[in-house]
Amino acid sequence: MNCLYCHEIIIENSHLVNIFQKQPLLCHRCLDEYEALRVNEKFNFNGMNVHALFNYEGIVKRMLRRYKFQGDAVQTKVIAMFIKSHLRLYEIVVPVPISDVRLKERGFNQVTKILDELNVKYTDCLTSSREKRQSEMSKIDRENEKNPFSLKDGNNCIKNKSILIIDDIFTTGETVRQVAEILKREQPKSMDVLTFSISRKL
């Protein structure tokens, strides 16, 4: 099998103990690069517990750019491999949505695609009117942006439920703050955030 990131052939010794195990998705070199950026950082933001798995640098940054902007959808399996053990049992999982413009351009929502890969049930209860890429916005632009998220009609199933918001990158936190602002109107019991990566730069 080939590494899903660098495409080098993965050479594994065939022993009886691992003959029935799943084949690795990454070669040892790429896996080591990921592990060097693992932070498993947990902190409180806007009244929510946030859990970030990796620093948004190096191979993590390159992979997410390939995944989102070059349509390298096979990276879904890599991200899913890393986050699957961190999906605690919440009553409702809410992925951060993307706009129709971005969906048409990209062909998929990068967060829901990961959840589909893991067969995780989620509530697609939000819409986004944001057309400008986050990467094109300054910190001031993000903080001054009118909330682009809204609740879809008929989605009032989150009252008194524990919510897990999932996104791929946490930068200023403005996106999850905006999402939480909308969800709070429906009076959930609690809200936490799981993000694959956290950026220290803007």
Side-chain angles (χ1 to χ4, degrees):
M1 181 175 175
N2 294 77
C3 173
L4 294 186
Y5 183 78
C6 72
H7 308 300
E8 291 290 327
I9 296 175
I10 300 174
I11 300 175
E12 292 285 322
N13 294 326
S14 296
H15 296 297
L16 187 60
V17 70
N18 61 19
I19 196 170
F20 296 110
Q21 294 179 351
K22 289 184 178 180
Q23 291 295 311
L25 302 181
L26 298 171
C27 66
H28 291 298
R29 181 171 60 83
C30 288
L31 186 59
D32 286 345
E33 287 189 52
Y34 273 102
E35 291 300 334
L37 294 171
R38 188 190 290 272
V39 289
N40 277 333
E41 184 173 345
K42 298 178 182 179
F43 57 95
N44 186 276
F45 174 80
N46 204 42
M48 298 178 289
N49 295 314
V50 179
H51 185 183
L53 303 185
F54 293 91
N55 275 328
Y56 182 65
E57 298 175 5
I59 193 171
V60 172
K61 183 175 182 178
R62 296 193 301 271
M63 180 276 292
L64 283 174
R65 287 181 174 272
R66 270 173 48 175
Y67 175 47
K68 294 166 65 174
F69 305 134
Q70 298 175 28
D72 189 0
V74 74
Q75 301 306 318
T76 305
K77 296 182 181 295
V78 176
I79 302 172
M81 173 185 72
F82 285 119
I83 76 166
K84 64 182 179 181
S85 63
H86 298 278
L87 287 169
R88 286 178 47 202
L89 189 60
Y90 286 79
E91 293 174 281
I92 303 286
V93 173
V94 177
V96 171
I98 59 176
S99 68
D100 290 342
V101 171
R102 199 63 60 229
L103 184 62
K104 183 177 180 180
E105 175 186 272
R106 193 172 296 163
F108 59 91
N109 177 320
Q110 68 274 10
V111 178
T112 59
K113 194 170 182 65
I114 296 164
L115 296 174
D116 288 337
E117 175 69 24
L118 291 168
N119 293 315
V120 172
K121 183 179 178 181
Y122 56 87
T123 299
D124 188 18
C125 61
L126 297 172
T127 62
S128 172
S129 61
R130 177 183 286 151
E131 296 187 5
K132 196 171 184 179
R133 287 193 181 96
Q134 285 278 76
S135 57
E136 298 172 348
M137 299 171 67
S138 68
K139 182 177 181 180
I140 293 175
D141 288 338
R142 297 185 192 200
E143 291 175 349
N144 293 332
E145 179 192 33
K146 180 182 177 181
N147 196 325
F149 301 107
S150 58
L151 199 68
K152 292 180 179 178
D153 291 340
N155 280 278
N156 56 356
C157 60
I158 64 175
K159 185 174 182 178
N160 296 324
K161 303 289 186 180
S162 57
I163 310 296
L164 179 64
I165 300 168
I166 299 187
D167 204 2
D168 56 339
I169 306 171
F170 185 104
T171 306
T172 64
E174 194 61 20
T175 294
V176 295
R177 187 199 66 76
Q178 291 169 328
V179 166
E181 182 181 79
I182 300 301
L183 295 178
K184 280 180 181 177
R185 298 172 186 171
E186 303 303 311
Q187 300 177 310
K189 180 170 61 179
S190 64
M191 286 189 291
D192 292 335
V193 178
L194 175 64
T195 178
F196 181 71
S197 62
I198 183 168
S199 176
R200 312 292 177 175
K201 302 174 184 177
L202 184 61

